[in-house]
Amino acid sequence: MDGQWFRRFGDPEPDALRLICFPHAGGAASAYQPLSRLLRPHVEVRAVQYPGRQDRRLETPVADIGELAATVARKLEDEAEAEARAGGTGDTGTPFAFFGHSMGALVAYETARILEGRGARPPRRLFLSARGAPGPRRSPHDVPANDDAILAAVRRLGGTGVALLDDPELVDMVLPALRADYAALAAYSWTPGEPLHTPVTVLCGDADPVVSVEEAAGWRAFTHAETEVRVFPGGHFYVDQRLDDVAGVVLRGVRSASAARVGNDACHDSSRAFDVPG
């Protein structure tokens, strides 16, 4: 898989399903290293590394959700073609699922739309975390007015990396990526279209200051396949405190996806009631 756009943490089992992970605004591929440790070796985590952060810090960040999604979709198609030519996995390639957190959920969703629209191999399951379903109106939380407002928004969301904002040098390093990501969110406009045919697992925190459970559950209308909504104690970065539970949900979901027939033909919404783990 493209070494510029994807990062892998450790070696999986030979037949492991891939989980392509999309970071949040200002986030990097390394945000998924803890999840990868818990899922290995059963699931191979490949985290997307957007331009403008970490080892790609000198590259210009991409301030467009659609452009990010189109690039990732193209990279995945190229990988599937390369695997088919190599003959290692037949003509279908290695099966995969998507996990996107916050802004990453939008990029994951739009990437899945592009793949399905082209008739390419889609993800077996979508895990959409800490993001409300898109609609005709932009969320006011996506349009901070200036750098100070961006930093205030990041502090409000919390997370383990928020303490880094106390270091002016680190702030200078992360601001270009944050500006681009919030510009991408502010400019994003959902184009109505046919719902996906991919099963969806929605994950959210019950105390998220910017995404309500109802807004997150709105993703049910974006697929013809089954939808599961999982609500965890915590805020926007509930994953930091509930990582074991999240890993369990992901592992069960990818195993279910792996056992299901490719191109699930379920065309009804069998969404389940909210399930709060103990």
Side-chain angles (χ1 to χ4, degrees):
M1 192 167 276
D2 191 295
Q4 182 183 30
W5 278 85
F6 300 93
R7 301 291 176 271
R8 191 179 78 175
F9 312 107
D11 295 321
E13 294 177 337
D15 59 347
L17 185 142
R18 284 178 183 157
L19 183 68
I20 311 299
C21 295
F22 298 76
H24 57 278
S30 60
Y32 287 103
Q33 192 165 7
L35 182 62
S36 176
R37 282 198 298 266
L38 290 178
L39 294 176
R40 236 174 19 239
H42 310 293
V43 176
E44 176 189 7
V45 169
R46 296 283 182 106
V48 179
Q49 187 74 298
Y50 306 137
R53 55 216 79 199
Q54 292 186 334
D55 55 336
R56 302 189 70 184
R57 184 169 58 87
L58 299 181
E59 299 178 46
T60 302
V62 178
D64 187 285
I65 298 291
E67 184 179 342
L68 282 171
T71 300
V72 175
R74 186 174 67 252
K75 298 296 183 183
L76 291 172
E77 288 180 290
D78 290 346
E79 177 72 10
E81 290 176 5
E83 289 181 346
R85 287 195 301 269
T89 52
D91 61 358
T92 59
T94 302
F96 59 89
F98 286 170
F99 186 106
H101 183 80
S102 196
M103 182 190 85
L106 286 180
V107 184
Y109 162 71
E110 290 293 347
T111 303
R113 287 183 92 185
I114 291 170
L115 291 173
E116 189 167 301
R118 290 177 182 166
R121 182 166 51 95
R124 295 280 186 89
R125 181 173 286 271
L126 275 177
F127 297 90
L128 303 176
S129 169
R131 182 75 201 184
R137 289 184 298 219
R138 294 180 181 87
S139 167
H141 307 291
D142 290 342
V143 287
N146 51 41
D147 287 353
D148 288 341
I150 289 173
L151 296 176
V154 174
R155 290 182 185 279
R156 183 185 183 196
L157 296 179
T160 56
V162 73
L164 300 178
L165 299 182
D166 295 330
D167 186 326
E169 291 186 4
L170 291 177
V171 169
D172 288 341
M173 289 177 62
V174 302
L175 258 177
L178 281 169
R179 289 190 194 108
D181 290 350
Y182 272 98
L185 288 170
Y188 174 74
S189 179
W190 176 67
T191 302
E194 178 70 12
L196 298 171
H197 292 84
T198 300
V200 172
T201 297
V202 178
L203 307 94
C204 59
D206 62 0
D208 191 319
V210 299
V211 181
S212 69
V213 173
E214 290 74 21
E215 289 168 335
W219 284 108
R220 288 178 297 185
F222 287 72
T223 182
H224 287 302
E226 54 129 345
T227 304
E228 174 188 26
V229 179
R230 299 299 300 265
V231 185
F232 297 87
H236 195 71
F237 286 96
Y238 68 90
V239 179
D240 293 343
Q241 288 76 44
R242 307 291 294 195
L243 190 59
D244 287 344
D245 293 325
V246 171
V249 170
V250 171
L251 187 57
R252 288 190 293 274
V254 297
R255 282 176 170 166
S256 172
S258 184
R261 189 176 63 182
V262 177
N264 193 318
D265 62 354
C267 294
H268 63 281
D269 183 1
S270 56
S271 305
R272 293 191 282 179
F274 298 160
D275 187 359
V276 183

